[in-house]
């Protein structure tokens, strides 16, 4: 806790014949972040033909999965599935080498790909035909004002007929240009077609180029007259029959696709996942160094995983391996990947730390602090018992349903549960239950306009104590940050930074607290501590900024004041929550007295519960964002860089498959 997981450097040299099995073992173990081997005398490894096939098959089966997924019967879903998702069943594949795996996948692809592709092509072909028929029907609808046989609208020997749509404002110029270019050897018919004009032009074949040039110049949208004989209205009926027939064919094709999806979807997904992981596994090959007989790999391993990894390597290589495990050097500190290490109660809050950035190897992990302060700030801002109860129930259900996955939903819901707990506590202290709803009910029942729920303070009536509490919390939060910053700089041999950049603000905060106590005996110590803090602060500014020191002293001091005042948002959002809840209650109370057909109570309940749920959501969102801001901007600005490199282990991604290595190749 408070420190990242200890890392050690692993270096392995072994025979090439163990490479595939060893990499597979490490991939499944997911405990090593592989790094490039820096060896000048050896050459880099490269993917072989089997790895290239795996990448190709992965892409090909992705298309098959996408197609079958579109026609697979939907299962689950709904609210229950959201809160309590089911685990996907996993099939076991006995791994005997990449060559055997590729052979098995090829046998599967040869069997199923032609069938699936045929169904896909059939659906695509029928769909294209339906689209073409719809376009023809749309053209016929445009031509429907014409009561002539459509065969007269197509080219015929010495005479050519052009049909199209033209903007109304271009029509007169177009007609003049056509008559001029053809020397009046043209017949033109026009019909209204909404915003445009339907245009039929008949001209001699020898005037083809001239007429086309004019039509293009005036941006005529050419229409291809559908095949067939009869008026447009008659052809619409014929094409509608063709459309219905094709849609029946499409329905049958989709049913066949659904049967294929039912039969093959899980298998295709299974083999695709196997190929995806082989493709991922091949990405580390260029990081390895090799000779004709051996290869070398290196990487970072969390200390608790070392023994298990060493035993696995020895078992796979039958003891024929050079293995070196060493501590990181000072030069490698910035290169060490960071894996956060926290007790179970704080682990889900690592998500909030990682959103900002993980610490460096020689920094403190702030997650345990965030676990408390983030939840407390959230509760202070939301500040309503029933809002907290709603969020707590939703969060608890999500935690229960997603715990087995340990996914992002579980981690976020876990933080919500703790935040809801503090929200309910603050709601009790401020006497807020859907705002002043309990007060209104108590006053109505007792007839006493002064009746109200128990509270320490009412934020809306007495905001000053709440503001002072918020600013006091801000000082404590900032003091903690500067103290941690002082400790880290001192420990990492930056004593000047600790004394001149961290200590001054800690002393100034202490002096502010002593001044705020308003005890005469504290005035002198407060002035002395404040003076020391200001002097150290000024010295630091002079050393760091030289000629700009005077300007930076003013800027940085008022920057600190602004950072402190930023904690006033704790009070502001608490007031906003109470205010919005009270407005909802007032609106519900305004319509409640309407007794006609119980309209008043019905609408009042809708306004009340709907408004309070909306208020819960919008104010919870505000509390979430502003609680993060107080940590990311104000708190982390005092000591935390977040510039570490997250631990990214060489790890298989498995949802529907599970790999079993052969007995002589490790577990």
């Amino acid at each position: 806790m408070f420190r990242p997981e200890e890392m050690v450097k692993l270096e392995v040299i072994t025979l090439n014949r163990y490479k595939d099995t060893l990499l597979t073992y490490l991939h499944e173990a997911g405990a090593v972040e592989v790094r490039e081997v820096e060896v000048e005398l050896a050459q880099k490894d490269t993917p072989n033909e089997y790895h290239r096939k795996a990448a190709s098959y992965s892409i090909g089966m992705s298309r098959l999965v996408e197609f079958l997924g579109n026609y697979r019967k939907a299962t689950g879903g709904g609210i229950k599935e959201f809160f309590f998702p089911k685990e996907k069943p996993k099939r076991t594949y006995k791994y005997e080498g990449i060559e055997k795996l590729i052979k098995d996948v090829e046998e599967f692809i040869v069997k199923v790909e032609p069938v699936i592709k045929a169904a896909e092509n059939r659906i695509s072909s029928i769909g294209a035909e339906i689209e073409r028929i719809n376009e023809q029907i749309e053209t016929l609808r445009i031509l429907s004002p014409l009561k002539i046989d459509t065969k007269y609208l197509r080219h015929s020997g010495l005479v050519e007929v052009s049909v199209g749509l033209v903007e109304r404002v271009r029509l007169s110029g177009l007609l003049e240009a056509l008559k001029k270019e053809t020397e009046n050897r043209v017949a033109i018919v026009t019909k209204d077609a909404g915003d445009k004009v339907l245009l039929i032009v008949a001209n001699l074949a020898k005037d083809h180029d001239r007429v086309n040039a004019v039509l293009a110049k005036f941006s005529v949208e050419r229409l291809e007259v559908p095949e067939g004989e009869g008026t447009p209205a008659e052809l619409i009926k014929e094409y509608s029959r063709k459309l219905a027939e094709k849609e029946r064919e499409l329905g049958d094709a989709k049913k066949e696709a659904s049967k294929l999806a039912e039969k093959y979807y899980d298998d295709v997904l299974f083999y695709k996942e196997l190929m995806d992981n082989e493709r991922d596994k091949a990405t580390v090959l260029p990081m390895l160094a090799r000779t004709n007989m051996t290869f070398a790999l290196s990487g970072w391993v969390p200390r608790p995983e070392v023994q298990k990894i060493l035993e696995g390597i020895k078992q796979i290589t039958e003891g024929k391996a050079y293995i070196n495990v060493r501590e990181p050097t000072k030069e490698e500190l910035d290169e060490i990947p960071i894996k956060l290490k926290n007790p179970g109660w704080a682990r889900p809050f690592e998500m909030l730390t990682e959103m900002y950035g993980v610490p460096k190897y020689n920094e403190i992990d702030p997650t345990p602090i965030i676990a408390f302060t983030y939840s407390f700030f959230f509760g202070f801002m939301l500040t309503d018992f029933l809002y907290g109860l709603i969020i707590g129930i939703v969060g608890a259900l999500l935690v229960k349903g997603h715990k087995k996955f340990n996914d992002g939903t579980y981690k976020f819901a876990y933080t919500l549960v703790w935040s809801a707990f503090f929200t309910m506590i603050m709601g009790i202290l401020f006497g807020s239950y859907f705002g002043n709803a309990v007060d209104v009910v108590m006053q109505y029942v007792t007839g006493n306009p002064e009746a109200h729920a128990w509270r320490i303070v009412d934020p809306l009536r007495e905001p000053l104590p709440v503001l002072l509490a918020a600013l006091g919390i801000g000082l404590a939060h900032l003091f903690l940050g500067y103290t941690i910053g002082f400790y880290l700089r001192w420990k990492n041999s930056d004593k000047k930074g600790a004394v001149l950049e961290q200590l001054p603000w800690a002393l100034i905060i202490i002096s502010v607290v002593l001044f705020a106590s308003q005890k005469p005996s504290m005035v002198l110590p407060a002035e002395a501590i404040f003076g020391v803090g200001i002097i150290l602060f000024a010295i630091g500014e002079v050393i760091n900024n030289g000629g700009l020191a005077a300007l930076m002293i003013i800027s940085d001091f008022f920057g600190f004041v602004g950072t402190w005042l930023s904690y006033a948002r704790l009070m502001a959002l608490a007031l906003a929550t109470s205010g919005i809840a009270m407005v909802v209650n007032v609106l519900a109370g305004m319509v409640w007295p309407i007794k006609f057909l119980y309209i008043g109570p019905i609408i009042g309940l809708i306004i009340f519960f709907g408004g309070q749920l909306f208020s819960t959501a919008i104010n919870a969102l505000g509390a979430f964002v502003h609680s993060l801001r107080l940590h990311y901007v104000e708190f982390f600005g005092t000591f935390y860089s977040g510039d570490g490199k997250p631990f990214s282990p060489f790890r298989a991604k498995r949802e529907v498959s599970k790999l079993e290595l052969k007995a002589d190749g490790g577990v």
Side-chain angles (χ1 to χ4, degrees), residues 10-16 18-24 26 32-47 51 281-291 294-299 650:
L10 172 70
E11 297 167 338
V12 179
I13 301 176
T14 187
L15 300 175
N16 278 329
Y18 299 119
K19 178 166 53 182
D20 181 49
T21 307
L22 180 58
L23 288 179
T24 302
L26 295 177
V32 180
E33 180 173 326
V34 179
R35 292 292 180 87
E36 186 173 355
V37 178
E38 300 292 342
V39 180
E40 295 182 0
L41 298 179
Q43 58 183 327
K44 298 298 182 184
D45 208 341
T46 57
H51 297 120
K281 196 169 72 177
T283 60
V284 304
L285 290 174
M287 300 182 186
L288 309 182
R290 71 178 177 88
T291 65
T294 65
F295 77 96
L297 68 82
S298 69
F650 180 53

Side-chain angles (χ1 to χ4, degrees), residues 472-502:
I473 291 167
L475 279 179
H477 203 219
L478 292 175
F479 180 78
L480 176 61
Y482 285 119
T483 303
I484 294 173
F486 177 84
Y487 165 76
L488 287 176
R489 290 202 173 194
W490 191 276
K491 184 175 182 294
N492 293 325
S493 302
D494 182 13
K495 294 181 172 57
K496 184 179 75 172
V499 173
L500 298 180
E501 295 182 30
Q502 304 295 133

Side-chain angles (χ1 to χ4, degrees), residues 54-117:
S56 175
Y57 294 152
S58 171
I59 296 171
M61 284 193 287
S62 293
R63 289 189 56 196
L64 300 183
V65 167
E66 182 181 0
F67 171 74
L68 295 177
N70 291 333
Y71 299 99
R72 187 170 175 244
K73 292 180 182 178
T75 57
I79 295 295
K80 183 178 179 181
E81 188 75 13
F82 173 72
F83 282 104
F84 301 100
K86 296 178 181 177
E87 287 187 89
K88 294 179 181 179
K90 290 186 177 182
R91 287 170 54 185
T92 299
Y93 179 83
K94 188 173 182 180
Y95 189 81
E96 299 177 6
I98 188 171
E99 296 91 342
K100 177 66 165 55
L101 173 57
I102 293 298
K103 181 181 177 182
D104 291 343
V105 171
E106 287 176 338
E107 290 177 357
F108 174 76
I109 289 176
V110 167
K111 181 177 70 172
V112 305
E113 186 176 36
V115 180
I116 298 173
K117 285 289 183 66

Side-chain angles (χ1 to χ4, degrees), residues 336 338 357-361 363 641-646:
I336 301 174
I338 303 302
V358 297
K360 291 184 177 181
Y361 196 65
E363 288 184 338
S641 69
D643 291 335
K645 297 179 180 180

Side-chain angles (χ1 to χ4, degrees), residues 356-374:
Y356 183 86
V358 297
K360 291 184 177 181
Y361 196 65
N362 58 353
E363 288 184 338
I364 280 181
D365 174 12
T367 301
I369 300 171
I370 293 177
F372 172 75
T373 55
Y374 168 82

Side-chain angles (χ1 to χ4, degrees), residues 172-188 211 214:
S172 59
L174 171 64
L175 298 181
E176 290 179 10
L178 284 172
K179 291 176 182 179
K180 180 179 179 181
E181 290 294 328
T182 61
E183 298 176 352
N184 284 324
R185 295 188 301 272
V186 63
I188 302 172
V211 170
V214 172

Side-chain angles (χ1 to χ4, degrees), residues 296-580:
L297 68 82
S298 69
W300 294 100
V301 187
R303 190 179 296 279
E305 303 285 347
V306 170
Q307 192 59 37
K308 182 186 76 172
I309 294 299
L310 294 184
E311 289 175 1
I313 294 174
K314 290 175 182 177
Q315 183 177 353
I316 288 168
T317 62
E318 301 172 302
K320 299 180 180 71
Y322 163 79
I323 304 173
N324 181 42
V325 177
R326 63 175 177 81
E327 299 296 324
T329 64
K330 290 184 178 180
E331 291 74 19
E332 293 175 321
L333 283 180
D334 289 338
E335 296 298 321
I336 301 174
I338 303 302
K339 181 181 181 183
L340 301 182
K341 179 182 68 173
N342 288 287
W345 59 268
R347 201 167 296 135
F349 285 90
E350 292 175 354
M351 173 186 70
L352 302 180
T353 302
E354 290 167 349
M355 284 171 60
Y356 183 86
V358 297
K360 291 184 177 181
Y361 196 65
N362 58 353
E363 288 184 338
I364 280 181
D365 174 12
T367 301
I369 300 171
I370 293 177
F372 172 75
T373 55
Y374 168 82
S375 303
F376 175 69
F377 288 170
F378 186 102
F380 199 110
M381 293 177 184
L382 196 54
T383 290
D384 189 285
F385 179 85
L386 294 176
Y387 287 5
L389 183 62
I390 293 171
I391 293 173
I393 291 172
V394 172
L397 290 174
L398 288 171
V399 165
K400 184 177 180 181
H402 288 260
K403 186 175 182 179
K404 56 181 173 288
F405 301 103
N406 195 31
D407 55 5
T409 301
Y410 164 74
K411 294 174 183 177
F412 179 69
Y414 185 92
T415 66
L416 282 184
V417 170
W418 277 101
S419 300
F421 170 74
F422 282 99
T423 300
M424 289 188 286
I425 292 214
M426 298 305 297
I428 293 173
L429 295 177
F430 288 172
S432 182
Y433 305 84
F434 282 159
N436 64 340
V438 170
D439 295 351
V440 172
V441 172
M442 291 178 65
Q443 291 164 12
Y444 177 80
V445 171
T446 64
N448 179 8
E450 299 298 325
H452 59 77
W454 178 87
R455 58 174 58 92
I456 290 178
V457 64
D458 185 342
L460 288 177
R461 295 177 182 272
E462 303 172 86
L464 185 58
V466 182
L467 174 61
L468 294 176
L471 293 178
I473 291 167
L475 279 179
H477 203 219
L478 292 175
F479 180 78
L480 176 61
Y482 285 119
T483 303
I484 294 173
F486 177 84
Y487 165 76
L488 287 176
R489 290 202 173 194
W490 191 276
K491 184 175 182 294
N492 293 325
S493 302
D494 182 13
K495 294 181 172 57
K496 184 179 75 172
V499 173
L500 298 180
E501 295 182 30
Q502 304 295 133
L503 183 59
W505 299 116
L507 294 176
I508 289 172
I509 290 173
I510 293 173
S511 67
V512 171
V513 173
L514 294 178
F515 280 126
S517 68
Q518 297 183 340
K519 294 181 179 179
S521 59
M522 292 291 105
V523 173
L524 188 58
E527 291 175 346
I529 294 173
F530 182 81
V532 173
I534 287 294
I535 291 171
L536 291 175
F537 166 63
I539 293 172
E541 293 292 337
V542 170
I543 292 175
N544 292 329
N545 300 294
L548 296 176
L551 183 62
M552 295 307 298
I553 286 174
I554 297 172
S555 174
D556 289 348
F557 183 80
F558 283 102
F560 166 77
V561 174
T563 298
W564 177 28
L565 293 179
S566 184
Y567 285 84
R569 72 185 65 237
L570 292 170
M571 177 208 68
L573 267 75
L575 293 180
T577 302
S578 299
I580 293 174

